[in-house]
Amino acid sequence: MCVVFAGGASASSKTEEVKRLPGGKLKKKDKQEVIIEKIVRNKRKCVTVVKGLDLFGVKLSDASKKLGKKFATGASVVKGPTEKEQIDVQGDISYDVVDFITATWPDVPESAVYFIEDGRKVAAA
């Protein structure tokens, strides 16, 4: 009887482990933040990447169209390395895009916008 009880105890602990990631870590929810990153390619050309707009309920296809028209550049929705969709905008518009995002979509506060500079996340405000 003791062996059957021990087996039952391990089955109940397995149901708790289903909610956890391997290694016992709990799965975190995505923070609501917009991350703007400038990527240099071919020595001179720049691409500005805008990540996280979809977390605020913004439709990415509409946002890329508006960004392309505002800055007169090419803008497209692509899948990033983490399989999440992001907006790639041609050119270095990283500092101008913050004002445009906060003015166009009032749901996005300026305190939730961050830059990636030298591998560090820096607040835009």
Side-chain angles (χ1 to χ4, degrees), residues 76-92:
S76 60
V77 178
V78 296
K79 282 202 179 200
T82 59
E83 294 298 316
K84 290 193 171 190
E85 291 190 333
Q86 62 190 25
I87 300 174
D88 284 359
V89 184
Q90 293 177 7
D92 182 13

Side-chain angles (χ1 to χ4, degrees), residues 31-36 50-60 63 66-67 87 96-115 124-125:
K31 287 185 180 178
Q32 279 196 329
E33 57 188 18
V34 176
I35 297 175
I36 299 168
V50 181
K51 303 175 191 173
L53 266 180
D54 53 341
L55 298 175
F56 290 95
V58 177
K59 199 171 179 186
L60 291 182
K66 286 181 181 181
L67 284 167
I87 300 174
D96 300 330
V97 77
V98 177
D99 296 329
F100 179 72
I101 287 173
T102 54
T104 307
W105 298 284
D107 296 341
V108 182
E110 194 169 347
S111 61
V113 180
Y114 295 95
F115 291 115

Side-chain angles (χ1 to χ4, degrees), residues 9-47:
S10 67
S12 66
S13 66
K14 284 191 177 188
T15 57
E16 293 174 4
E17 291 174 10
V18 172
K19 298 174 187 173
R20 296 173 179 257
L21 293 173
K25 292 184 179 180
L26 292 173
K27 189 173 182 181
K28 291 184 181 178
K29 233 182 179 182
D30 287 339
K31 287 185 180 178
Q32 279 196 329
E33 57 188 18
V34 176
I35 297 175
I36 299 168
E37 184 177 5
K38 183 178 90 170
I39 299 171
V40 180
R41 54 181 200 94
N42 295 343
K43 310 257 190 221
R44 282 191 198 164
K45 310 274 184 184
C46 292
V47 175

Side-chain angles (χ1 to χ4, degrees), residues 1-11:
M1 264 195 177
C2 187
V3 175
V4 174
F5 180 72
S10 67

